């Protein structure tokens, strides 16, 4: 019998991509099939639309599955929302379906497979971004960056961020 794993998806494009990327890595590490059941999000049309847009734009339709039997399932909670939770890297053998509740916002969940989806994400992002004369620059600060009260100027990446900020009009 097949073993499956899914997670609760929240946020917008960046968070959703990180969650799906983490889900894929966790599934591979645990020899399980990753899936997204859109029935879980129908009560929130906005979330449902954003999730579907990300799945389509980044060619992740293979994750969609609404034929999962939740009779034999277990909910697991991520312990720390910004750090690798080791228990998710070694999921229990039973039950057949595991639902992860958490943010899954670290690339480390997919460290062994990080090269495979990366190129697909870049290609899809290039297809969806508008063509402009000026480069498109975005800065995404994770919550730990804000929570530590560290000034941007003291960051090791300050020269990178400074150059990116100067690209804005």
């Amino acid at each position: 019998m097949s073993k499956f794993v899914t997670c609760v998806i929240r946020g917008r494009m960046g968070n959703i991509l990180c969650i799906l990327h983490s889900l894929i890595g966790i599934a591979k590490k645990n020899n399980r099939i990753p899936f997204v059941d859109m029935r879980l999000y129908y009560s929130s049309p906005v979330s449902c639309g954003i999730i579907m847009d990300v799945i389509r734009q980044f060619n992740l339709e293979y994750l969609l599955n609404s034929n999962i039997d939740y009779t034999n399932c277990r909910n697991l909670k991520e312990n720390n929302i910004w750090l690798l939770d080791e228990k998710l890297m070694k999921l229990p053998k039973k039950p057949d379906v595991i639902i992860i509740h958490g943010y899954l916002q670290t690339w480390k969940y997919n460290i062994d497979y990080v090269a495979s989806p990366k190129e697909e994400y870049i290609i899809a992002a290039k297809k969806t971004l508008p063509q402009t004369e000026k480069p498109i620059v975005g800065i995404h600060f994770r919550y730990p960056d804000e929570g530590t009260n560290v000034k941007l100027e003291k960051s090791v990446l300050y020269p990178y961020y400074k150059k990116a900020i100067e690209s804005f009009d």
Side-chain angles (χ1 to χ4, degrees):
M1 175 156 234
S2 295
K3 304 281 186 180
F4 299 92
V5 64
T6 191
C7 59
V8 176
I9 301 171
R10 64 188 83 198
R12 293 185 305 244
M13 186 175 86
N15 290 342
I16 293 170
L17 272 175
C18 195
I19 290 167
L20 294 176
H21 194 246
S22 295
L23 174 64
I24 292 165
I26 291 167
K28 285 181 180 178
K29 193 78 171 173
N30 288 281
N31 199 25
R32 286 181 174 261
I33 300 168
F35 76 96
V36 174
D37 187 344
M38 291 308 298
R39 295 177 300 176
L40 303 175
Y41 305 98
Y42 287 158
S43 63
S44 173
V46 173
S47 293
C48 189
I50 294 170
I51 294 166
M52 281 306 299
D53 285 347
V54 170
I55 286 173
R56 282 190 199 108
Q57 291 295 328
F58 293 89
N59 301 318
L60 297 170
E61 289 90 351
Y62 71 91
L63 293 174
L64 296 173
N65 189 338
S66 296
N67 299 317
I68 301 296
D69 178 6
Y70 292 96
T71 307
N72 185 15
C73 76
R74 178 175 175 187
N75 291 291
L76 288 180
K77 187 172 188 261
E78 184 181 31
N79 285 334
N80 190 319
I81 60 175
W82 294 297
L83 300 173
L84 178 77
D85 186 344
E86 290 292 338
K87 81 169 179 276
L88 299 181
M89 301 309 284
K90 188 152 178 58
L91 295 175
K93 300 286 184 214
K94 293 183 180 180
D96 296 337
V97 178
I98 292 179
I99 304 169
I100 299 170
H101 297 265
Y103 289 90
L104 303 179
Q105 294 295 303
T106 177
W107 54 271
K108 292 179 182 176
Y109 286 120
N110 208 338
I111 193 165
D112 294 334
Y113 314 101
V114 78
S116 59
K118 184 178 178 184
E119 192 61 32
E120 287 180 36
Y121 293 164
I122 291 170
I123 291 167
K126 284 180 180 176
K127 285 193 300 188
T128 60
L129 292 174
Q131 299 300 314
T132 64
E133 291 179 21
K134 287 193 169 195
I136 296 173
V137 178
I139 299 174
H140 185 109
F141 287 96
R142 304 251 46 102
Y143 288 113
D145 300 330
E146 294 176 297
T148 57
N149 266 341
V150 174
K151 298 282 186 214
L152 180 61
E153 292 84 9
K154 293 183 180 177
S155 168
V156 175
L157 296 173
Y158 177 65
Y160 169 81
Y161 289 124
K162 185 173 186 281
K163 186 175 179 181
I165 289 168
E166 288 168 356
S167 298
F168 289 114
D169 289 331

